[in-house]
Amino acid sequence: MSTENASSNLTVNTSDSLRAALNPDGTLDRARFNIPVTSATLNPTSPASPVLSKDVPINPSHSTWARIFLPTRALSCSEEKLPVIVYYHGGGFVLHSAASTPFHEFCVSLARELSAVVVSVEYRLAPEHRLPMAYDDAVEALHWVKTARDEWLAGHADLSMCYLMGTSSGGNLAFFAGLRASASHDELEPLKIRGLILHHPFFGGIQRTPSELRLVNDQMLPLAKGDFTWELSLPLGATRDHVYCNPMVDGGSKISEGVDKMRSLGWRLLVAGCDGDPLFDRQVEFAQMMQEKGVSVVRVLTEGGHHAIEVREPDKSKPLLQTLKTFMSTTVTS
């Protein structure tokens, strides 16, 4: 890992739109980003709706909720139970929502192509709610899912076949939620987690990696933007070598106990990334560390592309979806 300081190469203005949206009171003016949103689709009669979706509350006092995605065909196959994917959206812990159009459409693809019930979690965002609050919400969502109070979960979900998945910061969130869940897995029954799927997970650190230096001015995720989102989301006073940002610090010693528990439970891990992403080297390092700690790791590392390409460019998602289908079917038989 390079110790070079990239600050002299930061031609991307750190006072970008994200910094400009920060209010004097420390809140973020998200309205100025005009992020497109998509409403849930409950009409099963529409031929253009192979997947239905609806929003249900989790914890009204925290304004958390879930958007559940159900393949339409499941309504006519009431005896078939489908695996569950609990999904956490990206956005650097500061932007986006379960209703954001790119993540909504990605979850539609997951439900349709993987024949799964997808539960996309709306969690609290920083800087108003700094980490670990998003992790708290992520685990609370798992306890909500286990109760299966919603009719779609009760009628169509196989809670014994659950996967935690997230994109970008959501991948980070899926990992840390998994660490917590492994420590109290018996409290989640009948929910049984089989594996984690980290899609272009968002990790960082003080020392720069070669991929960060090579892609310092990346159009999708410039280094300055990534640094600033960590500044907004980490606990006050924390550096990018805080374990939430850099689980690899000190050889992963701060997460060893949780990782040991994951391994003992037989959880499998899939890490997806591409070398067009500034975070690529960290994803490779993370996957290697997890494998060295004894976890069964599947790497899906491709050439080219960019951060979260399958979400931003849905036409590029087919290879990943096919890999996820194989990963989940292998988990079932292993």
Side-chain angles (χ1 to χ4, degrees):
M1 196 177 281
S2 173
T3 59
E4 179 179 346
N5 188 324
S7 61
S8 60
N9 297 327
L10 289 181
T11 59
V12 174
N13 187 354
T14 56
S15 298
D16 60 2
S17 58
L18 186 61
R19 188 176 295 274
L22 192 62
N23 295 318
D25 64 357
T27 61
L28 198 65
D29 180 12
R30 295 178 180 83
R32 68 188 297 150
F33 294 99
N34 295 315
I35 296 173
V37 297
T38 298
S39 299
T41 304
L42 263 173
N43 182 8
T45 63
S46 172
S49 299
V51 174
L52 306 178
S53 57
K54 65 178 176 180
D55 298 337
V56 291
I58 294 178
N59 186 338
S61 67
H62 291 162
S63 299
T64 57
W65 48 273
R67 176 163 292 185
I68 305 178
F69 298 81
L70 179 72
T72 305
R73 66 171 186 81
L75 296 178
S76 57
C77 303
S78 58
E79 295 183 1
E80 180 185 8
K81 297 287 187 175
L82 305 178
V84 179
I85 298 174
V86 179
Y87 180 81
Y88 305 105
H89 68 80
F93 295 110
V94 300
L95 293 174
H96 284 288
S97 160
S100 296
T101 297
F103 294 109
H104 173 93
E105 294 300 331
F106 188 59
C107 287
V108 168
S109 296
L110 292 174
R112 181 183 65 241
E113 300 300 325
L114 303 181
S115 296
V117 178
V118 178
V119 181
S120 182
V121 179
E122 180 75 356
Y123 53 88
R124 288 173 291 178
L125 299 177
E128 297 88 347
H129 307 284
R130 290 176 176 268
L131 296 173
M133 289 188 182
Y135 301 152
D136 296 341
D137 295 341
V139 175
E140 184 177 37
L142 299 179
H143 284 272
W144 177 83
V145 170
K146 80 169 185 180
T147 65
R149 293 174 184 171
D150 178 82
E151 60 182 347
W152 285 2
L153 292 176
H156 305 287
D158 181 355
L159 297 183
S160 71
M161 295 302 302
C162 177
Y163 300 84
L164 308 188
M165 178 178 181
T167 297
S168 189
S169 56
N172 175 301
L173 187 50
F175 175 67
F176 281 99
L179 284 180
R180 292 188 179 191
S182 68
S184 57
H185 66 99
D186 53 335
E187 298 175 8
L188 287 171
E189 293 181 357
L191 188 73
K192 187 172 183 179
I193 297 170
R194 298 286 184 163
L196 309 182
I197 301 169
L198 311 188
H199 178 228
H200 294 213
F202 186 45
F203 297 127
I206 292 177
Q207 291 185 336
R208 302 306 189 186
T209 67
S211 63
E212 289 172 339
L213 295 172
R214 174 171 54 88
L215 297 167
V216 63
N217 291 327
D218 181 67
Q219 293 299 306
M220 294 296 178
L221 187 60
L223 198 57
K225 182 178 180 181
D227 288 353
F228 190 52
T229 56
W230 282 119
E231 182 181 332
L232 293 177
S233 57
L234 285 170
L236 287 172
T239 71
R240 292 193 308 278
D241 275 341
H242 190 286
V243 66
Y244 295 162
C245 178
N246 187 3
M248 292 81 74
V249 72
D250 296 329
S253 60
K254 295 181 180 179
I255 60 170
S256 290
E257 184 176 350
V259 173
D260 288 346
K261 190 63 177 179
M262 286 183 180
R263 184 189 66 245
S264 69
L265 291 170
W267 294 7
R268 301 175 72 231
L269 173 68
L270 185 147
V271 179
C274 65
D275 67 5
D277 182 354
L279 305 181
F280 180 71
D281 287 344
R282 297 197 184 276
Q283 295 155 1
V284 172
E285 182 187 4
F286 173 81
Q288 181 64 30
M289 177 191 71
M290 293 295 286
Q291 186 167 29
E292 290 174 355
K293 290 181 179 294
V295 176
S296 175
V297 179
V298 174
R299 297 174 176 85
V300 185
L301 306 174
T302 60
E303 296 181 355
H306 55 75
H307 186 63
I309 184 172
E310 291 86 0
V311 173
R312 300 173 187 271
E313 300 182 44
D315 61 318
K316 304 289 180 61
S317 66
K318 187 173 181 179
L320 174 66
L321 293 171
Q322 184 57 51
T323 300
L324 295 185
K325 184 180 294 186
T326 301
F327 175 76
M328 292 170 65
S329 63
T330 303
T331 304
V332 171
T333 58
S334 62

